[in-house]
Amino acid sequence: MRRRPGGELRDRLRRRDPGYRLIRRAARLTVVASLTFYGCRYGLGSVTLATYALFATVATGSFAQLPGRAAVRARTLLAALPVAWALVAVGTVLAVNTAAAAAGMLVIGFAVAFAGVGGPRLVGLANALQLFYILACFPPYQPDTLPARLAGVTLGVALVALAEVTLWPDPAPVSFPQRLDAAAGGLADLLDALADVLVGRPGAAGAAARRHARAAQLLDQVRMSRLPVTARPTSAGRHDRAWRDAAAAAQEMLAVAESLASRPDVPGSGDPDLAGALRRCAAALRRSADRTVRRPGTPAAGGPEPATPPPSWRAAGPVRLRVDAAVRTLADQAGTYATAIGIATGPRGRRAARPVEAGADRFWYAGRSTWSLYRRQFRAHLTPRSVYLEGAVRLAVALSAARVIAGIVNLQHGFWVLLATLSLMRASASDTRTTLRPALVGTVAGGAAGGLLLLVSPERQAYAALLPLALVLAFGVGPLLGLGWAQALLTLLLIVVFAQLNPASWQLAGARVVDVAIGAVVGVLAGLLLWPRGSGAELCRNAGAYLAASGRAAERIAEAFAGTADARAAVTAARRAEALATASFVQYHGERHDPRLSHIDWDAVLAAAHRATYGGQALLADRRPGVLARWPGPAAALVAWAGRLRDGYAGLGRQVTRGRVDRPPAPTDPPGDVARQVHGMVRDGEDRPEVLALVEVDGWLGDLDAHLRRAGTAVPEEPPQPIRPPAVTNHSPVSQSDGPPTTR
């Protein structure tokens, strides 16, 4: 039975526009823009008021890409209104001459773009805020019109905020807490299955394998590179930092559970005590997951009881000691997860389910002021190796150069030059060049259609009638059809608008084509001259530096356990390196991939570095520094192994920096069977439970060795697909803070 054409069209529309978000946004934008423009231009007879009201509507309704529910987006727009006033005022004053306007563009362009470091809301507002200054900094120089300009901006932004919550509001997106809730549920199911494996229940191994695959799939959905820009918890505030720490703890639990399940000697090796500990971890995860999405009647998030060895540990063999160490690590990570959830869902201050332990405190930010957290995050990215800094400099230079050209050439509508640069510029030269051809073809087509329209019907009334249709086509149909169509329909919309603001002729269409061509060429040249490879080159450098720093941190952590070093400085350095590496990694997913880098498994590379830093830091937070000093022989052997791992991490880091991993890391030679050595000590009379920390550190270092080999040999079957921005807008660099990467 053949399907109706209408059904096929609806299916294609659902695929291109899930949830009809673009259609909803275009409908809201059409209603608000039509009301503001008609009311100001024809009702009040003010060209200035109409111009700024319309462009405030377009900037916040189309160029702004904000996270959260409709009410949250509306509050964000209203909160940004004072910033928009300031930018319009500064632009109005600096429009006195080209030099002042271009200098202001350089400073403001950088500041607004670099502000995206602070989180997804600032990223989503960046392009809209740029437009407020761009529009105001062009002639005519009329400071006396500032009140009308500010009134128009206020009207446009306020009506867009109102429309967000009253006119066809978008369905609430799947939030990061909801994704994390599902992942925690999958982990809890996996731990229950592992408990059955430990006691030797028939069929438990198959169930554990299936649940492991499901948990890994769910945790993959909370990786930053898999999330839309607006869904990433990347702000500097304590809540988003806690969400990231919760995700990191979940990834650590998956890594330990995977290591435990992969051992052939594990099935039937446990007893009811260990199985019960795993089930308590699973229950704690479910309680925390309920609090994550604030289900009614959910008690305060709490982890399992502190992981203490059962009395039977003194009679355990080597296999049982390894399993016991893994179970205690899982319990510790479940407590870390619960603590992070308590901070993320609670008010200011620490809401920990357990007291602060000795050693490195993962939740150092819980009691810090918001201002200090943001200052720290911005300072971390004030380096030439930050993709945020590079992107902000590239965009600011391009916009400032475009403003100089528009002023010197005295273009009729120089604003369009900067609009084209802002819309078409991408993070790499190859991506920007790719946008050039369809953008120019679309602009020429739209200009030809607009010029023909101006020749056939020059009356203003005709364009007033066409405005709603032009808005729907530009912001609803264009982005669905691609960049060329988007530019063509946007060109047609601008001609329809400007034909009502001032007397116009067919030359208006030609001016639009010339302006877009100049703006696009400026963007291409800026991309060629300023970091033309985009984030690919920085990803190599920063990921290599992160591997080296993580190897050093692992060695210092092992020395801290032995009581011979303080690991805090090394851990801090590794986290700084991580901030740059993960930002580059996430940015890389939004660009055209460099084929020379496609053979490197970047997920495995960052996971190896993450396991070294965060796995070791978690152990150090729950085990007193110097705990292994009582057994200097085994402790020294573990420190020596950590030193060899440091060399392996550094060697792999050098290869990654060159952009080619062609030599697998050499074996690191573990120091014998530590669990068997501990078993011998216990048999000889050692009865202090702290001796089990030797097995835990040994297990962690062995896992680092496995991660190092995987990062040095694995090749992804298929490179991840980039997340492309909408056709008309160009997002600022995707935001990633100094939190942990959620990679496996």
Side-chain angles (χ1 to χ4, degrees):
M1 182 177 178
R2 295 184 61 185
R3 300 190 62 187
R4 294 180 179 180
E8 295 179 1
L9 180 61
R10 283 194 298 272
D11 290 343
R12 291 178 61 186
L13 183 59
R14 289 193 188 99
R15 288 195 298 269
R16 298 295 299 272
D17 185 18
Y20 302 117
R21 293 182 183 274
L22 273 174
I23 300 300
R24 292 169 187 266
R25 187 176 65 183
R28 289 194 298 268
L29 188 57
T30 299
V31 171
V32 175
S34 299
L35 287 176
T36 55
F37 189 80
Y38 288 151
C40 296
R41 178 67 182 91
Y42 299 107
L44 299 177
S46 173
V47 171
T48 300
L49 199 61
T51 301
Y52 280 82
L54 177 65
F55 277 90
T57 301
V58 171
T60 53
S62 178
F63 280 79
Q65 307 289 328
L66 296 175
R69 297 174 290 106
V72 174
R73 294 197 301 273
R75 287 196 297 269
T76 302
L77 290 176
L78 294 177
L81 190 53
V83 181
W85 292 336
L87 292 174
V88 170
V90 172
T92 300
V93 172
L94 295 182
V96 62
N97 58 54
T98 298
M105 188 73 262
L106 185 65
V107 174
I108 290 174
F110 173 83
V112 172
F114 189 67
V117 173
R121 284 187 175 85
L122 295 174
V123 170
L125 285 169
N127 281 348
L129 294 177
Q130 299 276 18
L131 285 176
F132 287 116
Y133 175 82
I134 290 173
L135 180 62
C137 77
F138 275 93
Y141 174 62
Q142 296 174 335
D144 56 301
T145 64
L146 182 58
R149 293 182 177 191
L150 297 181
V153 167
T154 303
L155 179 64
V157 174
L159 288 180
V160 169
L162 179 63
E164 285 282 349
V165 296
T166 58
L167 294 179
W168 312 290
D170 293 338
V174 179
S175 65
F176 185 85
Q178 289 172 320
R179 295 171 188 261
L180 191 58
D181 168 62
L187 271 177
D189 292 340
L190 173 60
L191 295 185
D192 281 335
L194 286 178
D196 293 337
V197 170
L198 288 183
V199 296
R201 180 170 296 178
R210 291 190 296 273
R211 292 185 181 183
H212 174 267
R214 179 173 178 271
Q217 183 180 25
L218 291 172
L219 275 169
D220 187 67
Q221 299 305 308
V222 299
R223 288 165 53 187
M224 296 297 173
S225 59
R226 297 291 189 265
L227 296 171
V229 175
T230 56
R232 297 169 187 159
T234 56
S235 79
R238 68 183 58 80
H239 294 293
D240 273 10
R241 288 178 185 269
W243 287 126
R244 298 194 297 268
D245 273 347
Q251 294 287 358
E252 286 295 315
M253 294 182 73
L254 180 65
V256 175
E258 183 179 12
S259 176
L260 182 62
S262 65
R263 287 182 172 273
D265 51 4
V266 165
S269 63
D271 58 22
D273 288 335
L274 290 179
L278 282 178
R279 291 193 171 95
R280 287 193 294 274
C281 289
L285 277 177
R286 291 190 178 97
R287 288 195 302 271
S288 298
D290 288 342
R291 184 170 174 82
T292 298
V293 293
R294 297 182 181 274
R295 293 189 176 93
T298 302
E305 293 297 321
T308 56
S312 57
W313 73 269
R314 294 179 178 85
V319 174
R320 164 63 192 273
L321 289 175
R322 296 190 196 98
V323 173
D324 179 78
V327 170
R328 290 205 295 156
T329 301
L330 286 169
D332 292 336
Q333 290 296 337
T336 297
Y337 183 89
T339 302
I341 294 299
I343 297 171
T345 59
R348 177 174 178 173
R350 179 185 298 275
R351 291 294 181 270
R354 56 184 178 176
V356 181
E357 303 286 349
D361 181 11
R362 292 186 64 172
F363 305 109
W364 57 270
Y365 53 82
R368 300 286 184 90
S369 69
T370 301
W371 169 251
S372 69
L373 294 176
Y374 274 89
R375 185 176 65 247
R376 178 188 180 95
Q377 184 152 306
F378 277 92
R379 189 169 61 243
H381 286 278
L382 281 174
T383 168
R385 296 280 73 88
S386 170
V387 291
Y388 300 134
L389 186 75
E390 292 179 0
V393 170
R394 184 191 299 114
L395 183 62
V397 170
L399 291 177
S400 182
R403 179 63 183 87
V404 169
I405 294 172
I408 292 176
V409 181
N410 195 23
L411 296 173
Q412 181 183 3
H413 296 284
F415 165 79
W416 291 350
V417 177
L418 275 74
L419 179 62
T421 302
L422 184 67
S423 300
L424 302 178
M425 193 171 177
R426 299 292 185 262
S428 68
S430 61
D431 279 1
T432 305
R433 287 196 304 269
T434 302
T435 66
L436 185 60
R437 181 178 177 181
L440 291 180
V441 171
T443 302
V444 170
L452 183 61
L453 186 62
L454 288 167
L455 284 173
V456 171
S457 179
E459 291 81 10
R460 182 179 299 167
Q461 293 80 1
Y463 300 101
L466 286 174
L467 180 62
L469 176 61
L471 285 165
V472 170
L473 291 175
F475 298 112
V477 178
L480 292 174
L481 298 180
L483 179 60
W485 280 97
Q487 283 296 316
L489 295 173
L490 180 61
T491 296
L492 192 60
L493 171 63
L494 291 174
I495 290 173
V496 167
V497 169
F498 279 87
Q500 300 175 69
L501 294 175
N502 296 294
S505 64
W506 64 270
Q507 286 92 344
L508 181 65
R512 167 66 181 169
V513 174
V514 171
D515 291 344
V516 170
I518 293 174
V521 170
V522 169
V524 169
L525 290 176
L528 287 173
L529 296 175
L530 300 171
W531 302 284
R533 291 180 60 189
S535 62
E538 295 308 328
L539 177 59
C540 292
R541 281 190 285 264
N542 292 331
Y546 183 28
L547 281 169
S550 295
R552 289 192 295 271
E555 182 184 36
R556 290 292 179 271
I557 289 170
E559 291 173 349
F561 277 117
T564 59
D566 187 342
R568 286 176 292 185
V571 168
T572 300
R575 297 196 72 160
R576 283 199 299 266
E578 178 204 20
L580 301 177
T582 52
S584 304
F585 177 63
V586 175
Q587 176 83 347
Y588 183 69
H589 277 262
E591 300 175 6
R592 184 180 301 274
H593 292 143
D594 187 342
R596 294 170 295 183
L597 306 180
S598 61
H599 70 285
I600 299 178
D601 190 340
W602 294 106
D603 285 322
V605 166
L606 293 185
H610 173 272
R611 187 77 176 102
T613 303
Y614 282 88
Q617 188 183 6
L619 282 177
L620 194 60
D622 296 298
R623 307 290 177 267
R624 187 175 66 256
V627 69
L628 303 184
R630 303 169 184 176
W631 304 278
L638 290 174
V639 169
W641 188 16
R644 294 190 292 274
L645 283 168
R646 177 209 61 203
D647 294 338
Y649 269 74
L652 180 61
R654 287 190 291 270
Q655 294 187 69
V656 169
T657 300
R658 293 194 299 267
R660 186 165 190 84
V661 178
D662 49 15
R663 188 175 66 256
T668 56
D669 298 328
D673 192 336
V674 172
R676 192 169 299 278
Q677 296 175 30
V678 171
H679 176 64
M681 294 179 197
V682 173
R683 191 173 50 197
D684 292 341
E686 177 60 68
D687 62 352
R688 290 172 290 189
E690 290 83 1
V691 73
L692 299 179
L694 288 167
V695 184
E696 294 175 4
V697 175
D698 175 70
W700 167 58
L701 293 177
D703 203 27
L704 294 193
D705 184 69
H707 273 76
L708 182 62
R709 293 173 185 278
R710 187 181 307 166
T713 58
V715 177
E717 296 180 2
E718 181 180 351
Q721 296 300 313
I723 302 172
R724 294 293 181 190
V728 177
T729 62
N730 170 45
H731 293 297
S732 301
V734 289
S735 178
Q736 173 70 36
S737 69
D738 60 342
T742 50
T743 53
R744 273 190 301 114

